[in-house]
Amino acid sequence: MASIPKMMLAAVVHSPGGPEALKLEQRPVPKPEKGQVLIRVHAFGLNRAEMFTRQGLSPDVKFPRILGIEAAGVVAAAPGGEFPEGATVATVMGGMGRRYDGGYAEYTLVPASQVKVVQADVGWEILGALPEMMQTAWGALFSSLRLEKGEKLLVRGGSSSVGLAAAAIASHHGVFVVSTSRSQSREKLLRDSGAQDVILENGSIAVEARKRYPDGFDKVLELVGATTLADSLKTVKKGGIVCTAGIVGGKWVLDDFSPLTMLPSGVYLTTYGSTVEAFMETPLDEIAKLVKSRAMRIPVKTFRLSEIVEAHRVMDESTAEGKIVVLID
């Protein structure tokens, strides 16, 4: 086993609160057993799920807790022999940052079953951005929406990291992408990421969407969530699909949901939830190479672990205009 320190720097939440609830402190490096992998973390992406956990809104999370539902780094130890030491890997979900300590640290300990080797030669700022964001975007587009070349896709919440990733993936696969944003200033960002058209988001865009595209969209990726879902359903053509896969709007449930009045006849509503199995099936190497070559453009904003409070503040305020990645030397 390679030399592993006894202590590590970690961002810990002791009680729910704002970004300042994240405290940098020294914690013991966890010791792996067979079936587990100790990863030396070099980068991790920030996710809104972690914001909700920090705020005390994730059920069954016990504090203190090291947050982080994903991480990228190298294998420090794998007692079961599943991976060689030094292999570049990524991991996501499986209870990280909720049921057990997650990726906001110099080391993280996870089950070997949720570790994926990455062969692509890319920088940590790229690899750290991809695991959760890309498996959500990829899974929602191709598993839930069954997206096909030549279709028209509406991405509701297009300036979110998953929205930008979805536009990039869909455009690369020959799909006509229309994205929404609350800010006109983000139109260039959306178009650079793959959107061919942009609709200014005001919570009710169905009329404008139908004016521009009278036949409606084949598919809609709903990332704002419950606050705009009913409106999104009105933008889809008969036989089309709406997939809700985010809660950027901050609302978890629908008020007074009535299927007979909300769901247009012949329009299908589904969802997508991130899982370890979906992550393991995501072609991470292929995606990483496309991002590195700029065949797919994914904007990234980087911070250091010492800047974790500011990174969370930027996430809370939705001002990153890309995926937030924290780098660790």
Side-chain angles (χ1 to χ4, degrees), residues 49-58 61 63 67 97-98:
E50 295 148 3
M51 179 182 73
F52 294 128
T53 299
R54 190 203 72 217
Q55 294 170 338
L57 301 177
S58 295
V61 173
F63 297 103
L67 301 189
R98 292 171 175 165

Side-chain angles (χ1 to χ4, degrees), residues 39-40 73-76 83-90 115-118 124:
I39 299 173
R40 171 63 168 97
V74 297
V75 173
F83 304 96
E85 292 180 14
T88 298
V89 295
V115 177
K116 189 179 184 74
V117 172
V118 180
W124 291 116

Side-chain angles (χ1 to χ4, degrees), residues 40-281:
R40 171 63 168 97
V41 179
H42 285 284
F44 60 83
L46 262 57
N47 301 279
R48 296 186 75 83
E50 295 148 3
M51 179 182 73
F52 294 128
T53 299
R54 190 203 72 217
Q55 294 170 338
L57 301 177
S58 295
D60 303 323
V61 173
K62 295 181 180 180
F63 297 103
R65 176 65 68 217
I66 299 173
L67 301 189
I69 64 171
E70 65 177 317
V74 297
V75 173
E82 297 90 348
F83 304 96
E85 292 180 14
T88 298
V89 295
T91 185
V92 68
M93 300 297 290
M96 288 181 69
R98 292 171 175 165
R99 194 168 65 249
Y100 56 88
D101 286 336
Y104 285 22
E106 292 177 316
Y107 289 85
T108 190
L109 182 64
V110 298
S113 59
Q114 67 181 65
V115 177
K116 189 179 184 74
V117 172
V118 180
Q119 303 288 353
D121 182 19
V122 297
W124 291 116
E125 72 281 359
I126 293 178
L127 186 53
L130 301 183
E132 170 62 9
M133 176 181 69
M134 282 301 181
Q135 75 95 5
T136 299
W138 189 276
L141 292 178
F142 298 116
S143 177
S144 295
L145 285 174
R146 303 175 186 175
L147 195 64
E148 296 182 4
K149 182 178 180 180
E151 291 186 320
K152 285 187 176 67
L153 169 72
L154 174 66
V155 181
R156 200 81 185 257
S159 56
S160 66
S161 61
V162 174
L164 294 170
I169 293 170
S171 178
H172 182 73
H173 283 79
V175 172
F176 185 90
V177 180
V178 178
S179 294
T180 73
S181 175
R182 291 176 297 173
S183 174
Q184 192 72 52
S185 65
R186 292 184 175 177
E187 180 170 352
K188 184 178 186 304
L189 171 70
L190 297 179
R191 290 185 181 276
D192 287 347
S193 296
Q196 283 98 333
D197 193 10
V198 175
I199 297 177
L200 190 63
E201 179 66 77
N202 61 8
S204 180
I205 66 161
V207 173
E208 177 61 25
R210 284 288 185 173
K211 186 183 300 183
R212 298 190 195 186
Y213 306 98
D215 293 335
F217 294 99
D218 298 287
K219 311 287 169 63
V220 175
L221 179 58
E222 173 58 83
L223 298 171
V224 177
T227 56
T228 56
L229 178 57
D231 188 62
S232 288
L233 286 163
K234 299 174 183 177
T235 69
V236 190
K237 65 174 57 175
K238 192 168 185 176
I241 306 173
V242 176
C243 173
T244 178
I247 48 171
V248 173
K251 188 174 181 181
W252 294 71
V253 297
L254 290 165
D255 295 328
D256 303 319
F257 175 59
S258 174
L260 288 177
T261 57
M262 181 177 287
L263 293 174
S265 178
V267 170
Y268 301 92
L269 174 62
T270 186
T271 186
Y272 179 78
S274 301
T275 64
V276 169
E277 293 75 19
F279 167 65
M280 298 303 288
E281 293 173 358

